[in-house]
Amino acid sequence: MSLLTPDFGLLFWMTVVFLIVLFILWKWGFPVIVKMELDRKTFIDESLRKAHEANERLANIQLEGESILQEAREKQAQILKEATATRDAIVENAQGKAREEGARLLSEAKAEIETEKQNAIRDIRAQVAELSVLIAEKVVREKLSDDQKQMDLISRLLDEVTGDSKSVN
């Protein structure tokens, strides 16, 4: 017996066993294998369809995200514009109030200065009048130190008074 040429009996039994195994596989094995293959194909097709849908949703979400981001930028610009306008209004209002307060303080200061000036002039006049009276008193005392000088002054004053009354008549 040679390894390369099999015997007829061996060939017969190998063919019978092969046909039995082929029948068993045909009857119960291949349908299970084919069903598993079809299930796998269906699963892969379903997975590809879901992946495609997920990609479409992701693209839509990205577009929505971009539009939301653009909207947020526009709102931010609007808010900044409003804040700038509000700030400018507040600054203008504060400057106006400061100008009014400055004008009020200036007018009050001018009025106070004028009052102080009038008070100072009154005090100076009072002091000048007092000094004039003191000086006049000393001069009169000096001139009226004796009786003759007093009589001469009285006569002269009477002459002036009577001279004024004649000119009036």
Side-chain angles (χ1 to χ4, degrees), residues 5 30 146:
T5 56
F30 288 140
D146 63 7

Side-chain angles (χ1 to χ4, degrees), residues 1-155:
M1 195 170 177
S2 155
L3 286 176
L4 293 178
T5 56
D7 192 12
F8 179 72
L10 179 62
L11 192 56
F12 173 76
W13 288 111
M14 282 179 66
T15 305
V16 170
V17 169
F18 176 74
L19 289 175
I20 292 172
V21 169
L22 184 63
F23 175 76
I24 291 172
L25 284 176
W26 193 268
K27 188 75 173 163
W28 293 288
F30 288 140
V32 172
I33 292 171
V34 169
K35 183 182 178 296
M36 284 177 45
E37 184 63 30
L38 288 175
D39 289 345
R40 181 162 172 79
K41 182 182 180 289
T42 305
F43 176 75
I44 290 172
D45 289 343
E46 186 67 24
S47 296
L48 287 174
R49 187 184 59 76
K50 286 181 182 179
H52 183 67
E53 288 176 5
N55 282 338
E56 287 178 359
R57 275 193 242 146
L58 180 61
N60 288 337
I61 289 172
Q62 286 175 341
L63 288 175
E64 287 179 25
E66 287 296 323
S67 67
I68 289 171
L69 187 59
Q70 181 62 29
E71 192 176 309
R73 285 183 185 139
E74 290 172 1
K75 281 187 180 181
Q76 178 187 16
Q78 180 65 26
I79 289 171
L80 287 175
K81 184 178 177 182
E82 289 173 3
T84 302
T86 302
R87 180 202 63 199
D88 291 344
I90 290 171
V91 167
E92 183 63 33
N93 189 13
Q95 287 175 345
K97 285 183 180 179
R99 280 189 218 107
E100 290 174 4
E101 184 67 17
R104 185 185 63 79
L105 290 175
L106 184 62
S107 65
E108 285 178 3
K110 284 181 180 179
E112 188 175 330
I113 289 171
E114 185 61 32
T115 303
E116 290 294 325
K117 178 181 167 185
Q118 294 301 327
N119 289 340
I121 288 173
R122 243 183 284 124
D123 287 346
I124 289 172
R125 283 182 182 164
Q127 289 176 2
V128 166
E130 189 178 317
L131 284 174
S132 297
V133 167
L134 287 175
I135 290 171
E137 182 182 335
K138 284 186 181 186
V139 168
V140 170
R141 249 192 230 148
E142 182 70 32
K143 285 191 174 188
L144 300 176
S145 58
D146 63 7
D147 289 338
Q148 182 59 35
K149 287 182 182 178
Q150 288 177 9
M151 291 311 281
D152 289 340
L153 179 62
I154 291 172
S155 299

